Amino acid sequence: MVGSVFFLLVVMQKSSACLSPTKIWTMQAYICIFRKQATTFLLFSYSSEVIVITRKEIQKVLNLDTKMKLDFVCISDNMDMGTADSLRHIHQKIKTDVLVLSCDLITDVDLYKVVDLFRTHDATLSMLMKKTHEPTEGVPGQKGKKKPVEQRDFIGVDDTGKRLLFMANEADLDEELVIKRSILQKHPRMHIRTGLMDAHLYCLKKYVVDFLVENRTITSLRSELIPHLVRKQFSSPMSLQQGQDNKEEDQKKKDQASLDIYSFIKEDNSLLKPAPDNSCWNDRRGDMNETLHEGKVRCYVHIMKEGLCFRVNTLGLYIEANRQVPKLLLNLGLEEPLVHLSAQVTDRGMVGSDSIVGSSTQVGEKTSIKHSIIGNMCTIKDKVKITNCIIMNSVTIEEGCCLQGSVICHNAVIEKGAEIKDCLIGSDQRLETKAKHVNEVIVGTEQLMEI
Amino acid sequence: MRPVGEAALLPMANVAMIDYTLEFLTATGVEETFVFCCWKSAEIKEHLQKSKWCRHTSPNTVRFVTSDLYRSLGDVLRDVDAKSLVRSDFILVTGDVVSNFNISRALEEHKLRRKMEKNVSVMTMIFKESSPGHHARCHEDDIIVAMDSATNRVLHYQRTQGLKRFRFPMSLFQSSIENVEVRHDLLDCHISICSPQVAELFTDNFDYQTRDDFVRGLLVNEEILGNQIHMHVTTEQYGAHICNLLMYKAVCSDIIRRWVYPLTPEMNFTDDKNQSYTHSKHNIYRGVDVSLGHGSVLEENILIGQGTVIGSNCFVTNSVIGQNCRIGDRVILDGAFLWDRVHIADNVEICHSVICDEAEVKEKVKLKPRCVLSSQVVVGPDITLSEGTVISLHPPDEEEEDEDQFSDDSGVNKMESKVKLKGYNKKDVGSEGRGYLWKADDKNEEDEEEQRQSLWGPALHSEEESESDSDLSLGSEEPDSRTASPQLDDIKVFQNEVLGTLQRGEEENISCDNLVLEINSLKYAYNIGLKEMMQVLSKVILEFPLQQLDANSDSQNYFSALLPLLKNWTPLFKNYIKRASDHLNALFAIEEFFLEHDSLCTSIAKVLMTFYQLEILEEDVILNWFSLRDTSDKGKQLRKNQRLQKFIQWLEEAEEESSDGDQD
């Protein structure tokens, strides 16, 4: 349920100039699971074309009523397609520059900041990053506070913090971090940052998609294409051909000769061509030899300092995102109240302002709901205490239960007087009267895989 | 507090470099300075005693410490620790730093850090921000630093040394440091604020020779020693360490362009009455009694010392001219650095070159960029020195062991005797010239750019390299000439001995067998290898006729003088030339000789022919030598010599015949 079903949402613009500086909200399905029977929920103020790449089963449950024109492209279930594969799959639909984002992203970033970077610098790529979120509370079913053993990313940015100069993953490095002199010659101050999370939101030039179409060996945007582009910034077109061959040959066995990104760059606007040469503007504080256009590939990154940005790809982040979303919804100015009109809540006062109650849900007397999200068609009896919980659709909770920091999936039944703390209850599970569970995962065997 | 002083007496905009350093220290509030000196200490002491630093009114007490034992910064600091000269924080600078940096803020930060975390931070290094490509960035001093941008802690410090890729150990990127900044835009001013611990650490780690050793050692062993180094970056203020002539030139022009304000020439901070200048627009500074001829133009950025006379219709720009110079008419000086008492005759053109004390440039001489004329050298008349020519009074073989050709005149007397043996090469210095061409490293010509770098750039520097690697960062602080590389010495002495032996042999008609015996014993006495032996022998014999003939003799005379000698000494050669490599070595020596004596070039074919006919050299070796590809341009030129080509052709034919004969 909470496993990351990765699919790709491609937002395509009529022309790159159309990417107007407006707030674009993308929201992840899982959060709003009870309000909308949908996997994906997307708010997009300005009309544009959106292509959603998804799997059949998900499209079936998707029920979007937005003003946007959505174009669904389904990929078959049994094909293992990477992000780059997906983009390649729909390449004939992409006519201009493209904004790619994955559907597990929830953010309130001012998207124009990313897009502006893209446009002002005539960039090949601009992307979004955020400081890694430190989970504040424990994750249900997790024994102790074990730190996720993640490979760190090293991100090198220039002094302005916008130009992306360097990217490496700990896994690819031995004992040392190697930085080329040519980079430092042009950008003598490089900040190497760790602990940044890639939001998987990319603005890409059209020619990058063309490049992808030709380079079939690249399967993932994040782990292959983006580092490749970042590297290419500081290597010359010709030497690259060889360098790349040498470098990547050992990484992956290439059937076809690797194609150079530079051959895809089109100099379409002949009017603008002399402009950079005549300009005295310089995009960096390094040597003053050439200005902007010494390298045709340029990557930029917008690093969010504040605001909400989640990639919901773990249970912990899912819970955290759920806590944050009610605030986000309030800011958005929702058309529907947090407590759905069709919900029958006996003691309105007992429902916290940051809680959501779905449609047709019944809440009994003296039941308090704090910092929690309750789905549709649930039945919650009297004297129940719910704190920090996520309760999905059609869940029944009987009298006198006490639920804390738990996730309860669809159709679960919790009998009288159960006390549950920091647990994950799978769908269709039934907890007996006065059951006590702390920090446990209670799921059916067939669901185990998904956690 | 103190600088580690050294022989920084070279005039920088007519003021000795050490004065800039002392002024910087005094201006920044230093009250006591120790000058440590290990070389030319007498001169430095004399200079300092005459200067304002040793007057009673000086706010900065300068103490002078000298010892023969100082061979590196490490030795000095160990001595400081042994004598416990310092008890509080001190500033460590070398004597060739020009700066107007105000240390107080960095010092405050340093003290605060030491207060916050007791004695953890031991040193604060001062850097100046300057982007790559800045003219004051010195190639050999180029550094890359990784720092913690939150705390200014130095995490990694490395000289770039022309590396294409920089490697940073993963241990730098710990989670506690969120933002590691890699900086390549810093100029190391060679100014460091040190705690007394620094001296102790040098004592504890007796292998530390330089500050670089210290920094590296501390950073690598940070976990063990628990000491940290911090840094302070200045953007506005000036600081530079003069380690080669490029830096000399850059800093000089910065001083004149007033970047180092208030250390400008007209301030006369040394308080020397000979050093008063008036400053007029376009940064033109004139001393007292400067006379400028009719029609001469001083364009911009010019400093002219007291008593200098400039003739008429001259054009001067971006130049420094010392005291009491005489400059003739129609002279063009562009980026010239003239020291004191230089004589420039009429119609001279000097471009981006340094001319030391009392040197003389005769009429119609042209100096291309990056030439250096050491003190008392005379060039000309009517000669053009190609780019990067360095001329000194010391014979080329000698130059490696003498320390400073620019201001050193003590060595001149010693050399005088040798001068008699070897004439000045008129090709190099002109018909009335005095001086020898100084070569940085003539065997290493594969990389032309590198070559040029080493000629001009580290010209001051390359002399030190032969002394001791550990002294590199200390500028000219180095041991005296007695410790110079013994091997070079030996070859030189050996060469003289061989020459003497042969002379005697010629005069007294000693048989070749006896000569071989004598040379053999010399060879063992001086521990000379076969290769050097061959080169020396060929060289000595080829040069032999030159002594008897006057310098202008043509190749005809030369060859006729050489021929009987070669015939006489054939057994001598035969004794030593046995293997193919010996043949080749002999040929190289011959080539070298003829490269050095261009005028005799035409006789090379005859000489080779003689060698061949006397059966000293074999034909296939000669052919082999001729077809060698990796030769210098000059060598190629030599091989184009018509007679030589004819000779080679003849040899080839002869060989074909003989090989045909073999087949029959």
Side-chain angles (χ1 to χ4, degrees):
Chain A
M1 186 68 231
V2 284
S4 153
V5 182
F6 199 78
F7 47 89
L8 187 76
L9 225 163
V10 182
V11 184
M12 193 182 80
Q13 302 295 299
K14 279 252 164 12
S15 77
S16 65
C18 246
L19 274 174
S20 50
T22 29
K23 290 192 176 181
I24 303 171
W25 303 89
T26 61
M27 230 177 280
Q28 227 291 331
Y30 305 123
I31 314 309
C32 304
I33 218 152
F34 312 115
R35 301 191 57 84
K36 306 257 177 204
Q37 282 284 334
T39 336
T40 304
F41 171 43
L42 191 115
L43 277 169
F44 204 40
S45 321
Y46 270 62
S47 67
S48 50
E49 282 180 65
V50 179
I51 305 171
V52 181
I53 306 171
T54 179
R55 292 184 193 267
K56 264 241 162 66
E57 71 209 75
I58 293 161
Q59 198 202 340
K60 269 185 237 159
V61 291
L62 275 176
N63 179 19
L64 293 176
D65 50 341
T66 67
K67 290 162 204 144
M68 280 180 299
K69 184 184 159 201
L70 295 184
D71 182 359
F72 283 94
V73 177
C74 292
I75 53 173
S76 78
D77 290 347
N78 41 25
M79 261 167 73
D80 188 20
M81 281 176 104
T83 40
D85 293 325
S86 308
L87 203 56
R88 206 174 288 131
H89 186 64
I90 56 152
H91 74 95
Q92 70 275 18
K93 286 174 185 263
I94 300 170
K95 308 262 169 4
T96 58
D97 300 343
V98 64
L99 177 77
V100 181
L101 53 101
S102 80
C103 274
D104 54 6
L105 174 70
I106 308 149
T107 177
D108 64 349
V109 68
D110 295 339
L111 192 59
Y112 73 87
K113 284 179 176 158
V114 182
V115 178
D116 272 4
L117 269 181
F118 184 71
R119 288 183 300 180
T120 41
H121 299 280
D122 191 21
T124 309
L125 158 80
S126 71
M127 59 195 289
L128 177 70
M129 286 199 187
K130 171 94 206 285
K131 246 184 169 177
T132 310
H133 201 88
E134 294 289 330
T136 43
E137 278 169 67
V139 176
Q142 213 175 61
K143 302 274 172 5
K145 270 209 167 181
K146 59 173 176 192
K147 273 227 162 177
V149 195
E150 250 183 280
Q151 244 111 27
R152 293 181 299 165
D153 272 322
F154 297 100
I155 309 291
V157 292
D158 74 349
D159 213 18
T160 59
K162 286 177 187 159
R163 180 80 188 254
L164 185 58
L165 303 173
F166 179 80
M167 201 178 214
N169 191 281
E170 201 165 19
D172 304 331
L173 300 166
D174 300 329
E175 297 287 289
E176 294 162 321
L177 193 75
V178 181
I179 297 175
K180 279 201 279 183
R181 185 198 189 94
S182 56
I183 303 177
L184 287 166
Q185 206 73 33
K186 287 168 183 152
H187 303 273
R189 291 181 78 164
M190 188 198 281
H191 298 260
I192 296 188
R193 305 192 51 171
T194 50
L196 284 180
M197 179 198 73
D198 182 358
H200 287 224
L201 185 147
Y202 311 115
C203 262
L204 296 171
K205 274 269 196 299
K206 166 78 167 73
Y207 60 72
V208 179
V209 180
D210 298 341
F211 168 72
L212 271 182
V213 172
E214 294 299 321
N215 266 299
R216 300 208 153 259
T217 44
I218 295 178
T219 57
S220 157
L221 291 184
R222 174 67 183 89
S223 56
E224 290 169 58
L225 178 72
I226 306 298
H228 178 74
L229 289 179
V230 171
R231 266 203 312 275
K232 286 257 169 166
Q233 291 183 99
F234 299 99
S235 38
S236 59
M238 285 161 315
S239 68
L240 237 170
Q241 196 89 41
Q242 303 168 333
Q244 190 195 19
D245 285 348
N246 300 339
K247 223 182 285 167
E248 292 182 10
E249 236 157 21
D250 40 359
Q251 286 174 9
K252 37 190 174 165
K253 278 144 209 127
K254 293 202 166 192
D255 299 326
Q256 63 191 101
S258 159
L259 287 146
D260 194 358
I261 180 92
Y262 281 90
S263 55
F264 290 92
I265 300 175
K266 290 182 197 94
E267 300 278 352
D268 48 358
N269 204 335
S270 53
L271 259 181
L272 281 175
K273 228 178 164 183
D277 300 330
N278 298 338
S279 159
C280 52
W281 180 72
N282 197 315
D283 69 333
R284 58 190 142 79
R285 291 193 58 178
D287 56 346
M288 295 296 165
N289 289 342
E290 298 149 279
T291 50
L292 176 66
H293 288 255
E294 89 291 334
K296 294 211 168 64
V297 178
R298 289 179 294 278
C299 301
Y300 288 85
V301 61
H302 175 66
I303 298 173
M304 282 177 79
K305 296 214 168 52
E306 50 197 20
L308 196 72
C309 184
F310 288 107
R311 280 203 61 224
V312 185
N313 52 7
T314 64
L315 182 59
L317 283 167
Y318 171 60
I319 294 169
E320 186 63 32
N322 270 298
R323 285 195 191 112
Q324 301 291 335
V325 159
K327 292 177 205 159
L328 182 67
L329 289 175
L330 281 175
N331 292 339
L332 269 172
L334 272 196
E335 59 262 41
E336 293 168 44
L338 289 178
V339 177
H340 200 270
L341 292 174
S342 62
Q344 298 169 12
V345 183
T346 323
D347 288 330
R348 281 268 161 162
M350 301 283 275
V351 179
S353 61
D354 55 352
S355 296
I356 300 179
V357 181
S359 63
S360 313
T361 290
Q362 298 178 345
V363 180
E365 272 179 47
K366 290 186 181 172
T367 290
S368 77
I369 298 168
K370 283 175 195 158
H371 316 296
S372 295
I373 292 169
I374 318 277
N376 300 336
M377 325 266 281
C378 291
T379 313
I380 297 167
K381 300 273 178 64
D382 302 342
K383 292 175 189 165
V384 176
K385 275 177 90 175
I386 299 172
T387 321
N388 273 333
C389 285
I390 300 161
I391 295 168
M392 297 190 186
N393 293 348
S394 309
V395 174
T396 309
I397 298 168
E398 297 189 347
E399 286 96 342
C401 287
C402 183
L403 282 72
Q404 223 182 323
S406 299
V407 178
I408 295 150
C409 297
H410 298 296
N411 303 322
V413 178
I414 303 193
E415 291 182 2
K416 282 179 195 167
E419 278 182 41
I420 297 166
K421 196 182 171 194
D422 298 333
C423 285
L424 176 66
I425 315 291
S427 49
D428 302 313
Q429 294 297 309
R430 192 175 190 95
L431 294 192
E432 288 177 13
T433 317
K434 304 222 166 162
K436 277 191 183 179
H437 295 282
V438 178
N439 216 1
E440 279 180 59
V441 177
I442 303 158
V443 286
T445 40
E446 76 280 5
Q447 289 167 322
L448 264 171
M449 291 305 290
E450 286 183 35
I451 294 152
Chain B
M1 310 206 182
R2 80 215 118 102
V4 172
E6 84 291 314
L9 290 175
L10 306 194
M12 163 76 71
N14 293 349
V15 174
M17 276 195 239
I18 194 161
D19 289 331
Y20 284 97
T21 312
L22 286 170
E23 176 65 26
F24 149 65
L25 288 170
T26 311
T28 203
V30 173
E31 286 170 358
E32 190 174 12
T33 308
F34 290 94
V35 177
F36 290 90
C37 190
C38 57
W39 177 68
K40 300 194 95 180
S41 46
E43 279 129 63
I44 291 175
K45 196 168 183 177
E46 193 192 332
H47 174 86
L48 288 179
Q49 271 164 355
K50 273 195 271 176
S51 74
K52 72 165 182 179
W53 314 113
C54 287
R55 292 179 204 158
H56 294 297
T57 50
S58 171
N60 184 1
T61 319
V62 175
R63 294 177 204 283
F64 197 79
V65 185
T66 178
S67 164
D68 291 340
L69 296 173
Y70 296 157
R71 302 191 56 169
S72 69
L73 176 69
D75 294 337
V76 169
L77 282 173
R78 279 185 276 277
D79 193 45
V80 165
D81 189 41
K83 292 178 182 163
S84 53
L85 289 175
V86 286
R87 287 188 189 79
S88 64
D89 291 347
F90 63 94
I91 303 169
L92 183 69
V93 293
T94 52
D96 44 11
V97 166
V98 173
S99 175
N100 61 2
F101 183 67
N102 188 348
I103 214 104
S104 54
R105 232 189 92 211
L107 189 64
E108 252 167 53
E109 286 172 11
H110 175 80
K111 284 187 169 152
L112 189 71
R113 267 196 292 270
R114 285 183 59 79
K115 215 171 162 186
M116 298 279 278
E117 273 183 288
K118 191 133 181 70
N119 296 346
V120 167
S121 175
V122 292
M123 190 194 248
T124 302
M125 299 165 87
I126 312 288
F127 294 99
K128 169 165 167 49
E129 198 179 87
S130 78
S131 297
H134 188 270
H135 74 127
R137 270 179 80 118
C138 165
H139 190 71
E140 62 202 82
D141 235 4
D142 215 22
I143 49 162
I144 186 148
V145 176
M147 63 183 275
D148 176 359
S149 38
T151 60
N152 281 335
R153 204 178 110 203
V154 179
L155 303 171
H156 185 80
Y157 174 92
Q158 185 189 354
R159 279 171 196 278
T160 59
Q161 290 163 331
L163 289 174
K164 288 265 174 356
R165 287 156 194 277
F166 306 120
R167 295 169 187 281
F168 301 93
M170 290 301 269
S171 54
L172 297 186
F173 306 95
Q174 295 140 356
S175 51
S176 57
I177 303 164
E178 187 183 280
N179 193 343
V180 176
E181 198 177 343
V182 175
R183 296 190 68 160
H184 190 45
D185 62 341
L186 298 177
L187 195 72
D188 191 350
C189 301
H190 286 254
I191 303 168
S192 350
I193 304 172
C194 304
S195 65
Q197 272 165 288
V198 172
E200 289 162 26
L201 282 164
F202 265 97
T203 310
D204 293 345
N205 299 277
F206 50 85
D207 55 329
Y208 291 173
Q209 293 296 321
T210 62
R211 196 187 66 157
D212 275 13
D213 290 342
F214 175 78
V215 171
R216 202 179 313 120
L218 229 60
L219 291 179
V220 169
N221 301 321
E222 198 199 301
E223 308 257 303
I224 306 159
L225 297 170
N227 291 317
Q228 295 179 348
I229 296 175
H230 287 80
M231 60 194 273
H232 180 90
V233 179
T234 169
T235 49
E236 305 287 315
Q237 298 168 92
Y238 194 88
H241 163 73
I242 292 108
C243 56
N244 61 28
L245 282 181
L246 269 183
M247 281 301 281
Y248 175 83
K249 191 183 140 201
V251 174
C252 243
S253 56
D254 282 345
I255 290 172
I256 291 182
R257 281 160 218 228
R258 310 179 74 77
W259 285 105
V260 202
Y261 187 86
L263 298 185
T264 52
E266 89 279 8
M267 288 297 184
N268 192 11
F269 61 83
T270 51
D271 209 13
D272 180 347
K273 62 181 181 310
N274 294 332
Q275 292 283 4
S276 65
Y277 295 95
T278 55
H279 176 220
S280 45
K281 66 180 176 181
H282 307 306
N283 290 333
I284 293 170
Y285 306 86
R286 289 194 207 205
V288 184
D289 295 332
V290 168
S291 97
L292 187 66
H294 178 74
S296 286
V297 180
L298 301 180
E299 201 185 53
E300 54 176 0
N301 305 320
I302 299 162
L303 175 70
I304 303 174
Q306 185 202 34
T308 287
V309 178
I310 298 178
S312 60
N313 295 313
C314 292
F315 176 80
V316 185
T317 181
N318 296 318
S319 295
V320 174
I321 301 170
Q323 294 175 8
N324 299 314
C325 292
R326 296 275 171 279
I327 294 170
D329 300 338
R330 295 172 296 283
V331 171
I332 298 174
L333 300 178
D334 179 9
F337 296 92
L338 273 51
W339 295 4
D340 294 345
R341 298 178 297 284
V342 172
H343 284 247
I344 309 273
D346 298 348
N347 298 312
V348 169
E349 218 173 286
I350 297 175
C351 192
H352 299 287
S353 295
V354 175
I355 297 172
C356 304
D357 289 337
E358 291 165 33
E360 193 177 346
V361 181
K362 303 249 184 200
E363 286 89 13
K364 291 186 192 161
V365 172
K366 251 187 169 176
L367 263 62
K368 292 276 177 65
R370 298 194 306 278
C371 287
V372 177
L373 302 184
S374 134
S375 55
Q376 296 176 335
V377 161
V378 181
V379 288
D382 207 6
I383 187 175
T384 302
L385 298 186
S386 56
E387 260 186 50
T389 310
V390 180
I391 293 179
S392 81
L393 269 190
H394 311 312
D397 307 298
E398 209 81 1
E399 109 278 311
E400 298 250 21
E401 48 189 273
D402 91 72
E403 317 76 41
D404 191 336
Q405 52 184 314
F406 303 107
S407 58
D408 185 12
D409 40 16
S410 63
V412 175
N413 302 331
K414 180 176 81 191
M415 293 307 149
E416 217 75 354
S417 53
K418 300 241 169 74
V419 167
K420 281 173 200 148
L421 294 176
K422 277 187 74 182
Y424 300 114
N425 191 339
K426 304 299 176 203
K427 271 264 155 160
D428 293 334
V429 295
S431 52
E432 294 168 33
R434 273 158 45 85
Y436 297 95
L437 197 62
W438 181 84
K439 291 188 192 103
D441 187 1
D442 35 5
K443 272 162 205 154
N444 178 17
E445 281 182 52
E446 62 234 10
D447 190 343
E448 208 163 291
E449 200 177 341
E450 209 167 278
Q451 176 79 353
R452 237 186 291 143
Q453 277 277 357
S454 66
L455 274 173
W456 170 263
L460 274 173
H461 198 90
S462 47
E463 296 147 21
E464 296 151 23
E465 271 170 340
S466 65
E467 307 293 326
S468 146
D469 288 344
S470 56
D471 283 330
L472 290 187
S473 75
L474 269 177
S476 47
E477 180 175 352
E478 61 189 280
D480 64 4
S481 58
R482 272 170 288 142
T483 60
S485 158
Q487 196 205 352
L488 290 162
D489 227 351
D490 283 353
I491 290 180
K492 181 72 195 160
V493 175
F494 174 69
Q495 188 178 332
N496 287 336
E497 292 276 2
V498 170
L499 183 67
T501 309
L502 289 182
Q503 266 173 331
R504 218 156 21 85
E506 177 73 6
E507 283 159 14
E508 298 167 18
N509 225 344
I510 299 169
S511 78
C512 274
D513 288 349
N514 286 342
L515 284 179
V516 166
L517 272 179
E518 277 196 37
I519 292 174
N520 265 346
S521 64
L522 286 173
K523 175 173 165 270
Y524 291 121
Y526 290 97
N527 195 16
I528 302 293
L530 258 182
K531 188 180 161 202
E532 285 84 19
M533 172 68 220
M534 219 39 253
Q535 284 170 343
V536 167
L537 187 66
S538 311
K539 202 172 165 192
V540 166
I541 292 182
L542 288 173
E543 279 174 359
F544 205 79
L546 286 181
Q547 294 171 48
Q548 293 153 351
L549 304 165
D550 53 87
N552 291 330
S553 64
D554 63 351
S555 53
Q556 206 67 44
N557 289 340
Y558 169 77
F559 182 66
S560 49
L562 183 68
L563 192 63
L565 294 175
L566 284 182
K567 277 184 179 159
N568 269 348
W569 289 330
T570 306
L572 208 59
F573 277 106
K574 280 193 176 164
N575 186 53
Y576 292 108
I577 304 183
K578 279 170 183 154
R579 295 165 302 163
S581 61
D582 301 334
H583 287 257
L584 214 54
N585 281 331
L587 277 166
F588 281 137
I590 295 168
E591 182 185 353
E592 201 177 312
F593 170 78
F594 281 105
L595 285 179
E596 276 173 31
H597 301 83
D598 288 354
S599 57
L600 306 174
C601 213
T602 42
S603 52
I604 182 170
K606 279 186 191 164
V607 172
L608 285 180
M609 186 71 171
T610 318
F611 271 103
Y612 174 67
Q613 279 168 346
L614 294 171
E615 291 176 9
I616 300 171
L617 295 175
E618 282 173 17
E619 60 191 20
D620 43 343
V621 183
I622 298 178
L623 291 174
N624 203 353
W625 162 80
F626 186 75
S627 58
L628 275 182
R629 298 212 167 265
D630 54 337
T631 49
S632 59
D633 289 349
K634 273 180 147 182
K636 278 178 193 136
Q637 204 66 39
L638 188 78
R639 280 175 177 72
K640 282 183 189 145
N641 185 317
Q642 274 205 344
R643 287 174 201 216
L644 182 59
Q645 282 189 336
K646 255 186 203 164
F647 168 65
I648 294 296
Q649 207 179 346
W650 178 82
L651 264 185
E652 273 168 355
E653 280 162 11
E655 187 179 33
E656 268 167 38
E657 275 167 29
S658 71
S659 64
D660 286 351
D662 287 351
Q663 277 169 8
D664 292 346

